[in-house]
Amino acid sequence: MAIELNQPALKHARALIREGKVVKDERDDWSEAAPTADEENAFIEREGWTEFSHWHLGIDKSENRETKQAYSFPFGDFRKVHRSGVISAESRAGQYDHTEIRDALKKLLELIDED
């Protein structure tokens, strides 16, 4: 398992934040805001795997890119970036020594909190 920073997802997250497509919620809100498996499946069916990948800052290139196992560190609900998702993902990335992903998430959080 070699999880790397998903650069297209990082660009997508930055663009959404700059456009104001952000929910400024608290960390504990992510458990309610995170998409369910059914919501993920519906999104994949509607938009495809590439768009699904753009909502995850981690990518495991050793996994089949048309499986959910290839993607980790989600940060939004397929419409907006959630501050709670960024905080949660940053914490998990730090926990598992994914330093580059953790640092990217920290910068996203700073961008969200600039207002």
Side-chain angles (χ1 to χ4, degrees):
M1 177 144 92
I3 297 174
E4 301 174 17
L5 178 62
N6 184 355
Q7 291 290 343
L10 180 59
K11 289 177 185 169
H12 179 65
R14 285 184 187 139
L16 289 168
I17 293 167
R18 286 189 192 108
E19 292 167 13
K21 295 180 179 174
V22 178
V23 177
K24 293 188 178 186
D25 50 3
E26 297 301 317
R27 178 189 181 139
D28 294 339
D29 296 331
W30 184 238
S31 59
E32 292 295 318
T36 65
D38 287 342
E39 290 168 333
E40 289 177 339
N41 293 339
F43 183 83
I44 293 164
E45 183 72 26
R46 197 173 55 250
E47 304 293 335
W49 286 102
T50 300
E51 289 303 314
F52 181 77
S53 75
H54 290 167
W55 289 92
H56 297 81
L57 278 191
I59 185 167
D60 185 342
K61 293 184 178 178
S62 70
E63 292 286 343
N64 179 339
R65 296 213 187 174
E66 292 194 1
T67 64
K68 291 181 187 179
Q69 291 84 352
Y71 308 103
S72 54
F73 305 107
F75 55 82
D77 63 4
F78 305 127
R79 290 177 301 280
K80 294 183 177 186
V81 173
H82 280 255
R83 185 176 184 275
S84 61
V86 173
I87 293 169
S88 179
E90 179 190 1
S91 176
R92 270 191 312 117
Q95 221 174 352
Y96 294 100
D97 295 322
H98 297 296
T99 310
E100 186 179 21
I101 295 170
R102 181 204 63 206
D103 293 349
L105 285 156
K106 184 176 183 175
K107 288 178 182 169
L108 287 177
L109 184 60
E110 290 170 359
L111 194 57
I112 290 168
D113 289 344
E114 275 181 359
D115 294 350

